[in-house]
Amino acid sequence: MARQFAYYPGCVAEFSSKELNRTTKALAPMLDIELLPMPAATCCGAGDIAEAKPNLYLTLNVRILSQAEEMGVDIMTICNVCTLNLRRANKLVKDDPRLLEAVNEELVKAGARPYEGTREVTHLLWFLATEEGLSLLEKQGPKGLKGLRVAPYYGCQLLRPSSVMGFEDPDQPQSLERLIRALGGEVADYEAKSKCCGFPILLAREAVALKESHVALSQARDSGADCMVTPCPLCHLAMDAYQRKAEAANATEYNMPVLHLPQLIGLGLGIDTSIMEFKRHMVPVNNVLEVVGS
Amino acid sequence: MPTSTFDIFRYQPDTGPEHFRQTYELEHDADLTLLDAVLRLQNEQDGTLAVRYSCRSAICGSCACRADGKTVLACMSQVEDLKAQNGGQPIKVDPIGNFEPLKDLIVDMDPFWEKFKSVKPYLVPDGPAPEKERIVSKEAMQKIYNESKCILCAACYSECNSLAADADYVGPAALAWGYRFAADERDGQRTARAKLYSGEHGVWDCTRCMYCNERCPKGVDPRDAIEKLGGIAFNEGVSWADAGARHAKAFLISMRTGGKLNETLLVPFTNPIKSQLDLPFALRMLSKGKAPSPIPHRIKKLDEVKKLMKNVKETI
């Protein structure tokens, strides 16, 4: 029987980066997982609501956790920022029963279900980068990435703070590398793979953010990568949608296609490329498709 | 006795302008700290090797450096642990990041201290001094306990990704101290502080890379302090002044009206003028289907969310 998760794609994957949501849903049956919708779940607040109204952030996120609890399943995300916000709220209330009680009081007052603290939040990457996940990929008889040189890009919030995230060593992460190799790709290694893409301040401080994304984009280019891959749609926006702007701001060229993690898996498993909607990317991925022969 | 190899950053401005690296070997007891290793190298092998230190006990914050790329307090790091982490390779030792080196592992801390001073890191109580001391409850001190632990070692500053892109950013340590006083119930400058920290190169410049929380050797969690300063700015009503604060406000409005982020609102609301000038970019996004629907999404049970937004009080 397929493993069930409460599916929390996050706002960006549902709206401006629909290709991520659609590819994930297309992959799910091949990975033997069932993604159950959460129609009453809000935005996680993306760190912004936490920065304006911390108690409200906590209450809203515990409300989401409680919905998964009612469904009797754990949450699966496809976004670094959602993962951090949900996991942080979960840890805060699990570590402090009095805080959980106070939050539940508010939830009940608003007509929402209280949370018992029994659920976990995972990211698709974490699920797949385990022995169980890798064997699911193996079972599909991957067609392979045919030596595609892929620069793994983690970004920040799936790694740090490790006291909340805790899946792997934030200074020597290997989960993306394991997946790239398992799918027949080559890893293009570079130092900045876990530096910030600048997205959280991209709208408010564009010049600063474009200097941040430059570090990873230029290093990935210099490592000889055919493309980058990221588990986060916000990193994807910073690296793909804003890549031309970063080129102009830093007087250089990257020409670096950036794939969402599920797209890389889709290519490795050989699913129909039209499902993955590469046409929605700002930087063309033609060279990637040529190497993999899709 | 184990033997370890150290690959150390060198800069000796008296003899030449170039940076270079030097390798040293040392036989030592199993329980040697990185600071003691460097001091032994200085005493036994190379008197020119420069390092700043004082207490050797993780209290003074002087000996922060990078070990294998990661900022640590040298006095808190065991050589054998570092070797276990790097697979027995030579340990790379460098000065902390986001600073100019003065000599070997010693950096010019002046910009750090200037920024620290700029947040007014001292109590400014309202009214005349009382006859006896001001008594503060345990609960009130608990609010600023984490930030009070800061030893100004600059490990957070060394790794800050915002600072790497903007040398004028005030940085995590200074803002943690800012919060420590803004949230101190004896301080009378809360609104003034909220304004002071909310400008360009302040609270809203944090890129949330979370390196500061990860690296702080004392558990200060500077990013959490910056976040709380954002909350104070909202509470004190200074939240319209900066594009970063308006960005957060757009999330609150989205939450109230639909429960999900309304991307159509986010860009013009954060930066009304710039978003008009950026029309060619907006059109490129549009052509790729990246322009969100003007009709905001509406989640089920939005009434619960509206009630929470009305009821939940901020205690910052």
Side-chain angles (χ1 to χ4, degrees), chain A residues 232-253:
Chain A
C232 177
L234 306 181
C235 297
H236 190 272
L237 280 175
M239 297 294 182
D240 174 67
Y242 280 76
Q243 190 174 131
R244 295 288 174 248
K245 278 198 170 202
E247 287 179 337
N250 296 288
T252 188
E253 281 186 14

PDB file of all heavy atoms in Angstrom, chain A residues 232-253:
ATOM      1  N   CYS A 232      14.128  23.686  -3.215  1.00  0.00           N
ATOM      2  CA  CYS A 232      13.321  24.813  -2.707  1.00  0.00           C
ATOM      3  C   CYS A 232      12.860  25.720  -3.848  1.00  0.00           C
ATOM      4  O   CYS A 232      13.676  26.214  -4.622  1.00  0.00           O
ATOM      5  CB  CYS A 232      14.156  25.623  -1.719  1.00  0.00           C
ATOM      6  SG  CYS A 232      13.298  27.077  -1.095  1.00  0.00           S
ATOM      7  N   PRO A 233      11.550  25.980  -3.935  1.00  0.00           N
ATOM      8  CA  PRO A 233      11.047  26.840  -5.019  1.00  0.00           C
ATOM      9  C   PRO A 233      11.456  28.309  -4.865  1.00  0.00           C
ATOM     10  O   PRO A 233      11.461  29.044  -5.853  1.00  0.00           O
ATOM     11  CB  PRO A 233       9.527  26.691  -4.917  1.00  0.00           C
ATOM     12  CG  PRO A 233       9.267  26.263  -3.518  1.00  0.00           C
ATOM     13  CD  PRO A 233      10.461  25.456  -3.098  1.00  0.00           C
ATOM     14  N   LEU A 234      11.788  28.731  -3.649  1.00  0.00           N
ATOM     15  CA  LEU A 234      12.227  30.119  -3.463  1.00  0.00           C
ATOM     16  C   LEU A 234      13.653  30.272  -3.981  1.00  0.00           C
ATOM     17  O   LEU A 234      13.980  31.231  -4.677  1.00  0.00           O
ATOM     18  CB  LEU A 234      12.120  30.525  -1.998  1.00  0.00           C
ATOM     19  CG  LEU A 234      10.741  30.302  -1.379  1.00  0.00           C
ATOM     20  CD1 LEU A 234      10.716  30.764   0.066  1.00  0.00           C
ATOM     21  CD2 LEU A 234       9.670  31.027  -2.147  1.00  0.00           C
ATOM     22  N   CYS A 235      14.510  29.282  -3.655  1.00  0.00           N
ATOM     23  CA  CYS A 235      15.854  29.271  -4.255  1.00  0.00           C
ATOM     24  C   CYS A 235      15.713  29.239  -5.766  1.00  0.00           C
ATOM     25  O   CYS A 235      16.468  29.899  -6.488  1.00  0.00           O
ATOM     26  CB  CYS A 235      16.648  28.042  -3.816  1.00  0.00           C
ATOM     27  SG  CYS A 235      16.989  27.952  -2.043  1.00  0.00           S
ATOM     28  N   HIS A 236      14.746  28.473  -6.259  1.00  0.00           N
ATOM     29  CA  HIS A 236      14.567  28.366  -7.708  1.00  0.00           C
ATOM     30  C   HIS A 236      14.220  29.724  -8.309  1.00  0.00           C
ATOM     31  O   HIS A 236      14.772  30.109  -9.346  1.00  0.00           O
ATOM     32  CB  HIS A 236      13.491  27.335  -8.043  1.00  0.00           C
ATOM     33  CG  HIS A 236      13.422  26.992  -9.502  1.00  0.00           C
ATOM     34  ND1 HIS A 236      12.652  27.698 -10.387  1.00  0.00           N
ATOM     35  CD2 HIS A 236      14.079  26.056 -10.230  1.00  0.00           C
ATOM     36  CE1 HIS A 236      12.823  27.193 -11.607  1.00  0.00           C
ATOM     37  NE2 HIS A 236      13.684  26.201 -11.531  1.00  0.00           N
ATOM     38  N   LEU A 237      13.329  30.451  -7.671  1.00  0.00           N
ATOM     39  CA  LEU A 237      12.985  31.790  -8.187  1.00  0.00           C
ATOM     40  C   LEU A 237      14.220  32.690  -8.206  1.00  0.00           C
ATOM     41  O   LEU A 237      14.481  33.389  -9.181  1.00  0.00           O
ATOM     42  CB  LEU A 237      11.893  32.434  -7.313  1.00  0.00           C
ATOM     43  CG  LEU A 237      10.450  31.980  -7.562  1.00  0.00           C
ATOM     44  CD1 LEU A 237       9.512  32.624  -6.543  1.00  0.00           C
ATOM     45  CD2 LEU A 237       9.979  32.314  -8.974  1.00  0.00           C
ATOM     46  N   ALA A 238      14.984  32.659  -7.115  1.00  0.00           N
ATOM     47  CA  ALA A 238      16.171  33.521  -7.049  1.00  0.00           C
ATOM     48  C   ALA A 238      17.195  33.129  -8.114  1.00  0.00           C
ATOM     49  O   ALA A 238      17.824  33.991  -8.731  1.00  0.00           O
ATOM     50  CB  ALA A 238      16.798  33.447  -5.657  1.00  0.00           C
ATOM     51  N   MET A 239      17.357  31.833  -8.331  1.00  0.00           N
ATOM     52  CA  MET A 239      18.414  31.356  -9.229  1.00  0.00           C
ATOM     53  C   MET A 239      17.968  31.327 -10.684  1.00  0.00           C
ATOM     54  O   MET A 239      18.778  31.526 -11.587  1.00  0.00           O
ATOM     55  CB  MET A 239      18.825  29.927  -8.831  1.00  0.00           C
ATOM     56  CG  MET A 239      19.417  29.828  -7.467  1.00  0.00           C
ATOM     57  SD  MET A 239      20.979  30.698  -7.415  1.00  0.00           S
ATOM     58  CE  MET A 239      21.460  30.375  -5.764  1.00  0.00           C
ATOM     59  N   ASP A 240      16.696  31.025 -10.925  1.00  0.00           N
ATOM     60  CA  ASP A 240      16.202  30.923 -12.312  1.00  0.00           C
ATOM     61  C   ASP A 240      15.521  32.229 -12.743  1.00  0.00           C
ATOM     62  O   ASP A 240      16.001  32.908 -13.645  1.00  0.00           O
ATOM     63  CB  ASP A 240      15.216  29.751 -12.425  1.00  0.00           C
ATOM     64  CG  ASP A 240      14.570  29.689 -13.805  1.00  0.00           C
ATOM     65  OD1 ASP A 240      15.295  29.411 -14.778  1.00  0.00           O
ATOM     66  OD2 ASP A 240      13.354  29.938 -13.927  1.00  0.00           O
ATOM     67  N   ALA A 241      14.446  32.608 -12.074  1.00  0.00           N
ATOM     68  CA  ALA A 241      13.679  33.784 -12.524  1.00  0.00           C
ATOM     69  C   ALA A 241      14.530  35.057 -12.475  1.00  0.00           C
ATOM     70  O   ALA A 241      14.404  35.921 -13.331  1.00  0.00           O
ATOM     71  CB  ALA A 241      12.411  33.939 -11.685  1.00  0.00           C
ATOM     72  N   TYR A 242      15.379  35.166 -11.492  1.00  0.00           N
ATOM     73  CA  TYR A 242      16.198  36.381 -11.334  1.00  0.00           C
ATOM     74  C   TYR A 242      17.622  36.211 -11.874  1.00  0.00           C
ATOM     75  O   TYR A 242      18.478  37.051 -11.620  1.00  0.00           O
ATOM     76  CB  TYR A 242      16.240  36.806  -9.856  1.00  0.00           C
ATOM     77  CG  TYR A 242      14.997  37.554  -9.422  1.00  0.00           C
ATOM     78  CD1 TYR A 242      13.801  36.891  -9.178  1.00  0.00           C
ATOM     79  CD2 TYR A 242      14.997  38.942  -9.276  1.00  0.00           C
ATOM     80  CE1 TYR A 242      12.656  37.558  -8.802  1.00  0.00           C
ATOM     81  CE2 TYR A 242      13.844  39.628  -8.894  1.00  0.00           C
ATOM     82  CZ  TYR A 242      12.682  38.934  -8.656  1.00  0.00           C
ATOM     83  OH  TYR A 242      11.544  39.621  -8.280  1.00  0.00           O
ATOM     84  N   GLN A 243      17.874  35.128 -12.618  1.00  0.00           N
ATOM     85  CA  GLN A 243      19.260  34.894 -13.071  1.00  0.00           C
ATOM     86  C   GLN A 243      19.746  35.975 -14.025  1.00  0.00           C
ATOM     87  O   GLN A 243      20.888  36.430 -13.931  1.00  0.00           O
ATOM     88  CB  GLN A 243      19.375  33.511 -13.732  1.00  0.00           C
ATOM     89  CG  GLN A 243      20.803  33.127 -13.978  1.00  0.00           C
ATOM     90  CD  GLN A 243      20.979  31.708 -14.510  1.00  0.00           C
ATOM     91  OE1 GLN A 243      21.674  31.505 -15.482  1.00  0.00           O
ATOM     92  NE2 GLN A 243      20.363  30.715 -13.871  1.00  0.00           N
ATOM     93  N   ARG A 244      18.884  36.401 -14.950  1.00  0.00           N
ATOM     94  CA  ARG A 244      19.309  37.451 -15.895  1.00  0.00           C
ATOM     95  C   ARG A 244      19.623  38.744 -15.137  1.00  0.00           C
ATOM     96  O   ARG A 244      20.551  39.466 -15.479  1.00  0.00           O
ATOM     97  CB  ARG A 244      18.236  37.697 -16.949  1.00  0.00           C
ATOM     98  CG  ARG A 244      17.989  36.510 -17.853  1.00  0.00           C
ATOM     99  CD  ARG A 244      19.142  36.270 -18.842  1.00  0.00           C
ATOM    100  NE  ARG A 244      18.943  35.046 -19.598  1.00  0.00           N
ATOM    101  CZ  ARG A 244      19.694  33.953 -19.489  1.00  0.00           C
ATOM    102  NH1 ARG A 244      20.718  33.920 -18.657  1.00  0.00           N
ATOM    103  NH2 ARG A 244      19.439  32.873 -20.207  1.00  0.00           N
ATOM    104  N   LYS A 245      18.817  39.026 -14.122  1.00  0.00           N
ATOM    105  CA  LYS A 245      19.079  40.226 -13.313  1.00  0.00           C
ATOM    106  C   LYS A 245      20.401  40.095 -12.573  1.00  0.00           C
ATOM    107  O   LYS A 245      21.152  41.061 -12.449  1.00  0.00           O
ATOM    108  CB  LYS A 245      17.949  40.430 -12.296  1.00  0.00           C
ATOM    109  CG  LYS A 245      16.731  41.109 -12.864  1.00  0.00           C
ATOM    110  CD  LYS A 245      15.885  41.657 -11.726  1.00  0.00           C
ATOM    111  CE  LYS A 245      14.795  42.552 -12.268  1.00  0.00           C
ATOM    112  NZ  LYS A 245      14.298  43.481 -11.284  1.00  0.00           N
ATOM    113  N   ALA A 246      20.674  38.897 -12.056  1.00  0.00           N
ATOM    114  CA  ALA A 246      21.943  38.684 -11.341  1.00  0.00           C
ATOM    115  C   ALA A 246      23.109  38.836 -12.314  1.00  0.00           C
ATOM    116  O   ALA A 246      24.159  39.381 -11.954  1.00  0.00           O
ATOM    117  CB  ALA A 246      21.949  37.301 -10.689  1.00  0.00           C
ATOM    118  N   GLU A 247      22.917  38.373 -13.537  1.00  0.00           N
ATOM    119  CA  GLU A 247      23.980  38.533 -14.548  1.00  0.00           C
ATOM    120  C   GLU A 247      24.248  40.013 -14.797  1.00  0.00           C
ATOM    121  O   GLU A 247      25.400  40.457 -14.826  1.00  0.00           O
ATOM    122  CB  GLU A 247      23.573  37.841 -15.857  1.00  0.00           C
ATOM    123  CG  GLU A 247      23.636  36.320 -15.762  1.00  0.00           C
ATOM    124  CD  GLU A 247      23.202  35.623 -17.058  1.00  0.00           C
ATOM    125  OE1 GLU A 247      22.458  36.241 -17.859  1.00  0.00           O
ATOM    126  OE2 GLU A 247      23.604  34.465 -17.257  1.00  0.00           O
ATOM    127  N   ALA A 248      23.189  40.781 -14.955  1.00  0.00           N
ATOM    128  CA  ALA A 248      23.350  42.218 -15.226  1.00  0.00           C
ATOM    129  C   ALA A 248      24.004  42.909 -14.028  1.00  0.00           C
ATOM    130  O   ALA A 248      24.931  43.711 -14.178  1.00  0.00           O
ATOM    131  CB  ALA A 248      21.998  42.845 -15.539  1.00  0.00           C
ATOM    132  N   ALA A 249      23.550  42.559 -12.833  1.00  0.00           N
ATOM    133  CA  ALA A 249      24.057  43.227 -11.629  1.00  0.00           C
ATOM    134  C   ALA A 249      25.526  42.888 -11.376  1.00  0.00           C
ATOM    135  O   ALA A 249      26.270  43.696 -10.819  1.00  0.00           O
ATOM    136  CB  ALA A 249      23.221  42.829 -10.414  1.00  0.00           C
ATOM    137  N   ASN A 250      25.936  41.692 -11.758  1.00  0.00           N
ATOM    138  CA  ASN A 250      27.306  41.266 -11.473  1.00  0.00           C
ATOM    139  C   ASN A 250      28.193  41.245 -12.718  1.00  0.00           C
ATOM    140  O   ASN A 250      29.307  40.721 -12.675  1.00  0.00           O
ATOM    141  CB  ASN A 250      27.286  39.883 -10.801  1.00  0.00           C
ATOM    142  CG  ASN A 250      26.598  39.915  -9.447  1.00  0.00           C
ATOM    143  OD1 ASN A 250      27.132  40.449  -8.487  1.00  0.00           O
ATOM    144  ND2 ASN A 250      25.383  39.376  -9.367  1.00  0.00           N
ATOM    145  N   ALA A 251      27.670  41.817 -13.808  1.00  0.00           N
ATOM    146  CA  ALA A 251      28.406  41.937 -15.064  1.00  0.00           C
ATOM    147  C   ALA A 251      29.070  40.621 -15.472  1.00  0.00           C
ATOM    148  O   ALA A 251      30.276  40.539 -15.693  1.00  0.00           O
ATOM    149  CB  ALA A 251      29.449  43.057 -14.955  1.00  0.00           C
ATOM    150  N   THR A 252      28.267  39.578 -15.548  1.00  0.00           N
ATOM    151  CA  THR A 252      28.794  38.270 -15.946  1.00  0.00           C
ATOM    152  C   THR A 252      27.667  37.465 -16.578  1.00  0.00           C
ATOM    153  O   THR A 252      26.547  37.946 -16.701  1.00  0.00           O
ATOM    154  CB  THR A 252      29.389  37.527 -14.724  1.00  0.00           C
ATOM    155  OG1 THR A 252      30.041  36.352 -15.161  1.00  0.00           O
ATOM    156  CG2 THR A 252      28.322  37.178 -13.706  1.00  0.00           C
ATOM    157  N   GLU A 253      27.995  36.259 -17.029  1.00  0.00           N
ATOM    158  CA  GLU A 253      26.962  35.354 -17.557  1.00  0.00           C
ATOM    159  C   GLU A 253      27.070  34.014 -16.840  1.00  0.00           C
ATOM    160  O   GLU A 253      28.173  33.567 -16.541  1.00  0.00           O
ATOM    161  CB  GLU A 253      27.168  35.132 -19.056  1.00  0.00           C
ATOM    162  CG  GLU A 253      26.653  36.274 -19.893  1.00  0.00           C
ATOM    163  CD  GLU A 253      26.736  35.980 -21.383  1.00  0.00           C
ATOM    164  OE1 GLU A 253      26.948  34.807 -21.762  1.00  0.00           O
ATOM    165  OE2 GLU A 253      26.603  36.947 -22.153  1.00  0.00           O
TER     166      GLU A 253
END
